[in-house]
Amino acid sequence: AQSVSQHNHHVILSEAASLELGCNYSYGGTVNLFWYVQYPGQHLQLLLKYFSGDPLVKGIKGFEAEFIKSKFSFNLRKPSVQWSDTAEYFCAAPRDNAGNMLTFGGGTRLMVKP
Amino acid sequence: SQTIHQWPATLVQPVGSPLSLECTVEGTSNPNLYWYRQAAGRGLQLLFYSVGIGQISSEVPQNLSASRPQDRQFILSSKKLLLSDSGFYLCAWRWTGVNTEAFFGQGTRLTVV
């Protein structure tokens, strides 16, 4: 079964700093990957997703992620963070080829200082 | 468009009391439905999922149960709450498939006292 891990549990950045959050997956077959964001007091929402094709995926609010198959990684990036990016970020992938459920990483709490 | 409703938003219950959290989805049919629990620093733990009416799969043996009495209704229950049941519970829906995203409700903050 696929598993997803996020190694950065807490990240603190100043505004305008660049962001990279790590995500690694375990299964090396066909991979579909997602990044979700949860802003304070809000529900989880999709930032971006990768199914196939261009390994560099653009998402909402200036976020992007790069799928690197050789590294089993799907890191989330943003060149210049804003205070409003303070949130918790989750990486996810289908747990198996049946696609009945998504498995999530442990999450990364990002705090951006104004 | 599809919407997902989850209630209540917050709940404080005494130990030993029953629990019923409800989730409904509108605007789609035969969705897969999920209950997750979110704990600080531990991500999203899948508790139950359902691919159809009356079909429930349990991921983690515990004091909770789930039911799907109607196509777009998913209920999380307990007969007797424990302190350890406190947490943030999320309902979600998605279509079956490896490339389909999940859509989440607003969540229920449950505090067992």
Side-chain angles (χ1 to χ4, degrees), chain B residues 44-95:
Chain B
L44 294 168
Q45 180 187 36
L46 180 63
L47 303 176
F48 301 94
Y49 73 95
S50 171
V51 298
I53 296 174
Q55 300 178 62
I56 307 294
S57 295
S58 174
E59 287 291 301
V60 182
Q62 56 197 325
N63 188 41
L64 301 169
S65 62
S67 61
R68 184 171 178 173
Q70 300 180 48
D71 181 43
R72 290 168 290 174
Q73 184 185 27
F74 204 27
I75 298 171
L76 183 69
S77 304
S78 174
K79 291 182 180 176
K80 287 186 178 182
L81 283 168
L82 305 172
L83 285 173
S84 58
D85 292 324
S86 293
F88 191 56
Y89 292 84
L90 290 164
C91 181
W93 77 270
R94 61 190 283 267
W95 287 298

Side-chain angles (χ1 to χ4, degrees), chain A residues 31-35 46-60 62-68 73-78:
Chain A
V31 181
N32 299 279
L33 296 157
F34 306 82
W35 273 101
L46 185 71
L47 262 183
L48 49 80
K49 55 189 177 184
Y50 170 79
F51 296 152
S52 63
D54 190 342
L56 187 61
V57 179
K58 304 284 187 185
I60 61 171
F63 285 91
E64 65 180 30
E66 186 174 12
F67 171 63
I68 303 180
S73 70
F74 188 56
N75 291 355
L76 181 71
R77 301 196 294 242
K78 187 170 184 178

Side-chain angles (χ1 to χ4, degrees), chain A residues 9 32 34 36 38 41-46 49 51 88 90 94-107 109, chain B residues 32 34 36 38-44 46 49 51 59 88 90 94-107:
Chain A
H9 299 297
N32 299 279
F34 306 82
Y36 282 83
Q38 186 176 34
Q42 296 189 28
H43 66 282
L44 274 147
Q45 55 187 289
L46 185 71
K49 55 189 177 184
F51 296 152
E88 190 160 15
F90 295 91
R95 197 167 77 175
D96 53 39
N97 288 335
N100 284 332
M101 67 203 78
L102 292 180
T103 187
F104 286 80
R109 243 180 234 280
Chain B
N32 288 354
Y34 306 85
Y36 286 89
Q38 184 178 5
R42 292 161 68 178
L44 294 168
L46 180 63
Y49 73 95
V51 298
E59 287 291 301
F88 191 56
L90 290 164
R94 61 190 283 267
W95 287 298
T96 294
V98 292
N99 57 0
T100 58
E101 65 192 86
F103 299 88
F104 288 84
Q106 296 277 11

Side-chain angles (χ1 to χ4, degrees), chain A residues 6 8 20 34 36 39 56 59-60 66 71 84 101 108 114:
Chain A
Q6 294 175 244
N8 313 105
E20 181 160 2
F34 306 82
Y36 282 83
Y39 297 104
L56 187 61
I60 61 171
E66 186 174 12
K71 293 185 178 180
S84 58
M101 67 203 78
T108 297

